[in-house]
Amino acid sequence: MTEKTFQSPKKRGQIAVFLSGRGSNFLAIHDAVIRGDINADISLVFSNRKEAPGLLHAKKRRLKTLYLNPKEFKSKEDYDEEICKQLKKRDIDLICLAGYMKILTPGFCNEFENRIINIHPALLPSFPGLHVQKKAIDWGVRYSGATVHFVTASVDMGPIILQAVVPVLQDDTEESLSNRILKQEHKIYPESVKLYFEGKLLIKGRKVFILP
Ligand code: GAR
């Protein structure tokens, strides 16, 4: 069987950032856009939480924001369909999940195949899911880190774009390890988005090749 391939587009892109909280990864991506490192604009910052600090940062930076209340929709599918409509209106090329704490429906993932990426605070496929910095400490691993990956319907298991490794120290707390990992997140997430719009990400099956 031949493997499915996809090459990211070389173009000036339109990004939508999805977030539910603090938004430091969103800010790192936006800073890189402002510096001219990423060939794209952030056309929308979306949240499922009205009071998400990241959404307030986006408003202060005069970016378009959208909040949809999940409780106003009959099902997760209806919710994601509405988001999908909103994204299509704005011709979004790439969705960056930046601490978006809702699982996207398979229908949504398929609709935006190869056009959703996520940052995860562990070295996938180890420690998928939530509270993964604590899980890494409790397991006793010597190294953890961050992973940027394409999003598929199989949660946290899509093709890996970049990873960064950090040591786990014997006296680490969840907070100290999270901070060490976050510093790396702020490097590899903007770098991944940059590579995406340089047309340098080639997905073959479940592997991502970075083109020269
Ligand atoms: C980041 O550590 C990110 O890796 C994590 O949430 C945090 C968001 O921080 N994402 C996940 O755990 C996704 N499963 P931020 O709002 O400051 O970017």
Side-chain angles (χ1 to χ4, degrees), residues 21-26 98-99 101 118-121 129-130 133 182 185:
R22 181 176 55 186
S24 72
N25 277 290
F26 146 60
M101 294 311 197
N118 180 44
I119 181 100
H120 183 80
L130 295 174
Q133 298 95 332
L182 195 65
E185 295 186 34

Side-chain angles (χ1 to χ4, degrees), residues 63-181:
L63 292 170
K64 288 230 165 65
T65 61
L66 174 69
Y67 156 70
L68 291 173
N69 183 353
K71 290 190 184 137
E72 285 173 10
F73 293 80
K74 272 207 315 272
S75 64
K76 287 179 183 168
E77 285 72 21
D78 286 2
Y79 186 70
D80 280 6
E81 249 172 54
E82 180 56 32
I83 305 173
C84 186
K85 267 191 215 156
Q86 298 285 342
L87 298 181
K88 288 200 166 155
K89 265 203 271 187
R90 293 170 170 89
D91 274 337
I92 296 298
D93 298 296
L94 181 69
I95 299 163
C96 295
L97 306 183
Y100 184 62
M101 294 311 197
K102 241 172 128 13
I103 291 176
L104 295 167
T105 54
F108 187 94
C109 294
N110 293 333
E111 185 69 39
F112 289 94
E113 192 184 12
N114 305 323
R115 293 198 288 148
I116 314 173
I117 62 178
N118 180 44
I119 181 100
H120 183 80
L123 293 174
L124 292 171
S126 288
F127 307 116
L130 295 174
H131 310 296
V132 297
Q133 298 95 332
K134 181 170 186 313
K135 285 179 189 162
I137 291 173
D138 290 350
W139 194 264
V141 293
R142 298 293 185 199
Y143 294 94
S144 188
T147 303
V148 181
H149 64 94
F150 282 98
V151 171
T152 61
S154 159
V155 179
D156 291 335
M157 289 298 139
I160 290 169
I161 301 171
L162 291 178
Q163 290 185 304
V165 179
V166 305
V168 180
L169 307 179
Q170 299 208 145
D171 57 355
D172 261 334
T173 60
E174 186 177 358
E175 194 189 357
S176 63
L177 179 60
S178 299
N179 288 338
R180 193 173 308 121
I181 293 172

